[in-house]
Amino acid sequence: MSKPGSAGERLFNGIIKENPTFVLTLGMCPTLAVTTSAMNGLGMGLTTMVVLALSNMIISALRKIIPDKVRIPAFIVIIASFVTVMQLLLQGFLPDLYLSLGVYIPLIVVNCIILGRAEAYASKNSVWSSLFDGIGMGLGFSAALTCIGAVREILGAGEIFGIRVMPQSYVPFSIFVMAPGAFFVLAALTAIQNKVKIAGEKKGRDMSKIQSGCSEDCMHCGKAGSCEHKFYDTAKTQKEGR
Amino acid sequence: MSDLRKVSSNPHIRAKDTTAKIMLTVVVALLPATLFGIYNFGLRALLIIAISVATTVLTEYLFEKICKKKNTTGDFSAVVTGLLLALNLPVSVPWWIPVIGGVFAILVVKMLFGGLGQNFMNPALAGRCFLLLSFPSIMTNFECDAYTGATPLAAIRAGEGVMVRDMIIGRTAGTIGETSMIAIVIGACILILAGVIDLKVPGSYLASFAVFVALFATLSGRTVSAPYISAQLAGGGLMLGAFFMATDYVTRPVTKKGQYVFGIFLGFLTAVFRIFGASAEGVSYAIIIGNLLVPLIEKATMPKCFGRGGERS
C-alpha cells in the first residue's frame, strides 16, 4: 500500500476500500432512482465524479480561507456552481442523457457523497490528495452505479448498454426496471461484496484495510462497539477537545 | 409439598397443536378450492399447482441445506405457500411463472428474513405481487380453454351484468383457486371448526368491504344494488384472501382489537383499489400493505397490563 494521501492510495480508497455505494451507503437517492440502465448509471456516476473532483479541489484550495462557521454554505455554493456547469454541458452535448437523468442532475448538489467528502476529506487535506480523493470516490460511485444499472437492465430488459444479450425467448422481469428492483439489486450486490470480504477475513487476509469510514474518532462513530480499533485517547481527539 | 416448589419456566400449559398440524389443516381446508379449480380449468391447473408446491418446498430445503440450518420443510408451511401461490395464478401461465414466484416467495420474503414466523408479509401474496409487477400481461391473461370472456370483476367494472349464481358456484374465469365461493367457504368452515382461525379478521374484512364498496360506488356515480354488492363480495380473490391469507398467523396482528382494525383497514383498501384503482382487483395489494402496518397496529392496540393505566394516585 502506498502512503496515505498519495494519488494511488486515494483511488484505491474510493473505488474499493470506502466505496461510497456498497461500503459507505452514501448517495442512495441517485443510486436507487437513475440506475434503470447501465448507461444511465454510468452517466450519473461520471457526472458526479467530475463535480466531486473539481469541488474537492476548490474546497481544498480554499480550506484556509473559508471560516469554520459558514463552511457548509460555502461548500454548497462551490458544489452548486460545478453542478450548474455540468448541467448546461450535458444539456448542450448529451441531450439524451440529460433527459433521462432529469431532475437528478440538479440534485447532485445535495448528494451526500460530495458534501461528505468536502467535509471529511477536502477541508482537511492538500489539493492534490483531494483531487484524487474526488476522482477515486467518483470512480467507485460510477462503478457501483454501472453494476447496479447493468444487472437491472439485463434482468429487466434483456439488454446491456442497449445491446440485446439475453435470448429472444427471454421474458424480461419488468419489476427490475421499476423502483422495487433497485432495492433488490442494491441489497444483493452489497451482500455479495460483504460475502467476499468475510471469506477473505476467514482466510486470514487483513480485510480491516477494506473496512470503511474510520475517522479515528470512536466517540462519534456508530461502529465503535463492534470495532477492534480504539481511538478514545489519541492525541488527535484530545487536541481537538472532543 | 416439595413437588409444588418445582416450577419450571413458562409456558406452563402446552397445547397439542403443532405448526405441522395447523398447516396440514390449512392444506385440507384448501382442498375443496383446489379440486374445484382442477375440475373447472382442467389438468393443466394440477400441473401448475404441482410445480408451485414442488418449487416452494425445494427452495426451502435447498436454502437450509446450503446455509447449514435445521430443515423445516416438515412443518408444511412451504406447502401452504406453494398451494396459495398456485391458487392465485391464472391457469394459462407458462411453467416458469410458478417457479419464479415460488422461489421469490420462499427465498426473499420468508427465508432471508429468518424463516417462518419472521416474514413481515405473506410470502404467497408477495410472490404473486412480484409476478404481477414483473409480467403484467401474462398474469392478467385469464383466457383458457374453458373461458374466453373477461373476469366477473372486469365485467362489473365495465358496467356489464354478471351472473352472481355462476360466481358463487365458481363457473367463471379467474385464477385457479379464487372462482368458487362455495368451495372456499367450505374450506373456511373446516378452518373455523378446527379452531385454526376465527371470524375476527375475515368477518370485519368482508363486512367493512361491503360498506366501503357501497359507499365508494355511490360516490363514483354507480347505482348500488344488492346484486352489485354480492357480485363484488363473490368476485375475485376476496374470499380466498379474507379466509386464507389475511388470517395468516405470522402477518396478522396478535391483539384482539388489532385484528378488527386490520380487517376494517383491509376492507377499506380493497374497496379503494377496486373502485378507484387502475385494475379491477386489489385484494393482494391490500393484504400486503395491511401486513406492513401490523407492527404499528399491534403497538397501538396492545392491551394494558393488570395494574397499569388509569389515573395515577
Side-chain angles (χ1 to χ4, degrees), chain B residues 127-141:
Chain B
R128 175 187 145 88
C129 291
F130 181 81
L131 293 171
L132 202 57
L133 283 173
S134 293
F135 312 104
S137 58
I138 296 174
M139 286 295 287
T140 52
N141 173 20

Side-chain angles (χ1 to χ4, degrees), chain A residues 169 171-176 178 180 184, chain B residues 96 100 104 108 130 133-136 138:
Chain A
S169 56
V171 186
F173 289 69
S174 40
I175 195 169
F176 279 105
M178 302 195 297
F184 291 136
Chain B
W96 45 265
I100 292 172
F104 181 82
V108 177
F130 181 81
L133 283 173
S134 293
F135 312 104
I138 296 174

Side-chain angles (χ1 to χ4, degrees), chain B residues 87-110:
Chain B
L87 296 185
N88 274 300
L89 297 174
V91 74
S92 59
V93 295
W95 64 269
W96 45 265
I97 285 276
V99 173
I100 292 172
V103 169
F104 181 82
I106 294 294
L107 185 71
V108 177
V109 182
K110 188 174 160 196

Side-chain angles (χ1 to χ4, degrees), chain A residues 60-80:
Chain A
S60 175
L62 297 176
R63 68 184 187 279
K64 288 179 183 136
I65 305 168
I66 298 172
D68 207 36
K69 279 184 183 164
V70 292
R71 64 185 193 286
I72 301 288
F75 296 166
I76 296 277
V77 169
I78 294 166
I79 296 165

Side-chain angles (χ1 to χ4, degrees), chain B residues 208-233:
Chain B
S208 68
F209 172 74
V211 172
F212 283 121
V213 89
L215 183 70
F216 294 150
T218 319
L219 283 181
S220 61
R222 288 167 196 269
T223 43
V224 176
S225 56
Y228 178 80
I229 301 288
S230 39
Q232 282 282 8
L233 279 172

